[in-house]
Amino acid sequence: MEQYSLIDNIGILHTFDKVPQRIISLVPSQTELLVDLGLESKIVGITKFCIHPEKLITKKAIVGGTKKVDYNKIKALTPDIVICNKEENTLEIVENLRLICSVWVTDIVTIEDNLKMISDFGHLFDCTREAQQWNASLVFALSDFKQFIDRKPIRKVAYFIWKNPYMVAGSNNFINELLQLNRFENVFANLSRYPVIDLQEINTVDDLDLVLLSSEPYPFKEKEALEMTHFCSLSNIILVDGEMFSWHGSRLLKALDYFKKLHQNL
């Protein structure tokens, strides 16, 4: 294959003399995508949070988490490329890894960003047919879901991701994009990213329909749901699968089925 160049989501130009054969992924959702694109044999390193597909974590070298990695272990794996994400990984990690090999950084805020990432991976790893098939499946499923959701009422929601301090999803992130897809009006969309809030603020929201407590990164359980009733007794408090609302990549296909079931139970 001739030399080729591609630009990642943060505007960095990458030039390759050959298709990268040894991949390290520091993003759990993108690890799952790489496998779904047929690239499992090329993955040499992952994080301890790369739990999908099941048992992958027993087959690949664990190089750390998403915020802290073992640079010596990564270097010893002689990667051709490391896959990172602007939100998941730190700038320090990205800059240090660039001393070892190419570092491809994604930045996924919208569904269009997600489709482009899959297409980019197709070109990056010479699996364009697989990438096109995944995007075609996603576009079809999105069209189907939009028809399903079209007549559903708009509901005001608060989506919690953390406790002590309490943090919610604001705007400018993939969670907010998927909330909008579900006709959920994010009451904290006026705040950026993942703001810390006082639970008393919930009491000031008029007609709050739903409080969604995510399973990740903080694993909200029934205990927290019960505690939340003291602050929003008139709202429906629901424990939700955080992977379905925050993981991008191929996971979106499963998420759309999950969302249908969620609405059917509201």
Side-chain angles (χ1 to χ4, degrees):
M1 188 173 185
E2 295 182 358
Q3 185 183 78
Y4 63 103
S5 297
L6 293 167
I7 299 174
D8 69 17
N9 291 154
I10 62 170
I12 302 299
L13 177 67
H14 299 260
T15 299
F16 302 94
D17 293 325
K18 62 177 183 177
V19 177
Q21 298 298 309
R22 297 180 62 80
I23 307 167
I24 290 178
S25 173
L26 300 184
V27 189
S29 59
Q30 290 169 197
T31 300
E32 180 180 50
L33 171 60
L34 291 169
V35 173
D36 284 340
L37 290 174
L39 299 167
E40 181 176 346
S41 64
K42 295 184 179 182
I43 300 172
V44 296
I46 58 176
T47 76
K48 61 184 178 182
F49 302 116
C50 294
I51 57 174
H52 298 297
E54 190 179 356
K55 297 183 180 179
L56 184 71
I57 204 164
T58 65
K59 303 175 185 177
K60 305 296 179 179
I62 308 302
V63 298
T66 55
K67 308 299 183 189
K68 186 177 180 181
V69 299
D70 187 329
Y71 296 108
N72 289 330
K73 199 168 189 179
I74 289 175
K75 194 171 183 178
L77 289 169
T78 61
D80 296 320
I81 193 169
V82 177
I83 304 296
C84 289
N85 176 263
K86 186 178 178 181
E87 182 172 285
E88 293 268 1
N89 312 119
T90 67
L91 178 61
E92 179 185 6
I93 285 176
V94 171
E95 289 178 341
N96 286 334
L97 290 176
R98 285 201 178 111
L99 302 175
I100 299 174
C101 67
S102 292
V103 181
W104 183 275
V105 182
T106 64
D107 184 17
I108 312 301
V109 176
T110 68
I111 289 171
E112 282 303 315
D113 292 337
N114 194 61
L115 296 174
K116 184 178 184 304
M117 175 186 65
I118 295 172
S119 179
D120 285 345
F121 279 16
H123 294 296
L124 185 58
F125 298 114
D126 193 25
C127 56
T128 53
R129 179 181 297 177
E130 291 82 357
Q132 288 169 355
Q133 289 173 343
W134 267 102
N135 273 345
S137 296
L138 283 170
V139 168
F140 179 83
L142 281 163
S143 177
D144 175 71
F145 182 76
K146 287 174 181 177
Q147 289 183 359
F148 166 84
I149 203 74
D150 186 53
R151 297 184 182 277
K152 301 292 182 184
I154 294 174
R155 294 179 169 93
K156 286 187 177 182
V157 307
Y159 187 101
F160 282 80
I161 65 164
W162 199 257
K163 178 183 179 181
N164 297 329
Y166 280 98
M167 298 173 67
V168 295
S171 60
N172 196 33
N173 57 58
F174 196 58
I175 293 174
N176 188 59
E177 174 86 347
L178 295 190
L179 290 176
Q180 291 180 61
L181 178 68
N182 279 278
R183 293 176 67 83
F184 292 154
E185 180 185 333
N186 183 357
V187 298
F188 292 105
N190 61 311
L191 303 174
S192 184
R193 307 295 295 155
Y194 305 103
V196 174
I197 68 158
D198 188 318
L199 280 185
Q200 296 295 341
E201 293 180 52
I202 290 290
N203 287 327
T204 68
V205 178
D206 293 329
D207 303 320
L208 179 64
D209 297 301
L210 301 173
V211 173
L212 305 180
L213 303 181
S214 179
S215 62
E216 66 164 48
Y218 183 89
F220 283 97
K221 298 288 194 302
E222 290 291 347
K223 180 183 75 169
E224 284 83 15
L226 184 61
E227 291 172 355
M228 197 70 70
T229 60
H230 299 300
F231 298 91
C232 42
S233 58
L234 299 179
S235 305
N236 191 3
I237 301 168
I238 303 173
L239 298 171
V240 296
D241 187 337
E243 292 177 0
M244 297 302 180
F245 278 94
S246 64
W247 280 37
H248 43 256
S250 48
R251 173 55 57 112
L252 181 57
L253 195 61
K254 293 178 181 177
L256 293 171
D257 285 334
Y258 173 83
F259 295 152
K260 283 185 178 181
K261 294 173 184 175
L262 178 63
H263 283 277
Q264 288 164 354
N265 292 325
L266 289 180

